[in-house]
Amino acid sequence: MQERNNDSLPLTIGLDLGSRQTQCAVLASDGERIEERKISTNAASLSRLLEQYPEARVVMEASTPARWISRLASEHGHEVIVANPRAIPIITAS
């Protein structure tokens, strides 16, 4: 995978993964929300989302589907961050 400057990524795609549905939020580099929606947690739906926003940072929490979804996002050329919710108190407190 090509090394890139993390500050140069124009968009961040946040994924709240579920076994059937995934909540998605797309944010601009300034934090402005571009889009928020639910999609099916399957390769076809996620691929459409990932193709719509090329070269973004994709952030998701560690979970059962995170492994294949992070691989899918990497294959689409995105930077992928999988966060452990136990290691991030602000996430686990909410």
Side-chain angles (χ1 to χ4, degrees):
M1 187 165 165
Q2 183 179 350
E3 187 86 18
R4 58 182 117 166
N5 179 354
N6 290 344
D7 296 331
S8 68
L9 293 174
L11 299 174
T12 298
I13 302 170
L15 301 176
D16 184 4
L17 305 174
S19 60
R20 294 188 178 149
Q21 288 199 321
T22 293
Q23 180 71 33
C24 310
V26 181
L27 304 174
S29 59
D30 64 0
E32 178 184 349
R33 187 177 318 162
I34 296 171
E35 177 181 5
E36 189 170 345
R37 64 180 159 141
K38 286 186 179 181
I39 62 171
S40 295
T41 305
N42 60 51
S45 294
L46 287 158
S47 287
R48 282 192 296 276
L49 173 74
L50 297 169
E51 290 165 0
Q52 186 178 353
Y53 300 103
E55 295 186 8
R57 175 180 294 121
V58 178
V59 181
M60 67 192 83
E61 66 180 320
S63 65
T64 302
R67 185 174 213 164
W68 71 264
I69 293 171
S70 64
R71 192 174 327 119
L72 180 70
S74 292
E75 290 169 358
H76 279 82
H78 298 287
E79 174 191 345
V80 178
I81 298 171
V82 179
N84 180 349
R86 293 183 193 156
I88 305 172
I90 195 163
I91 293 174
T92 58
S94 64

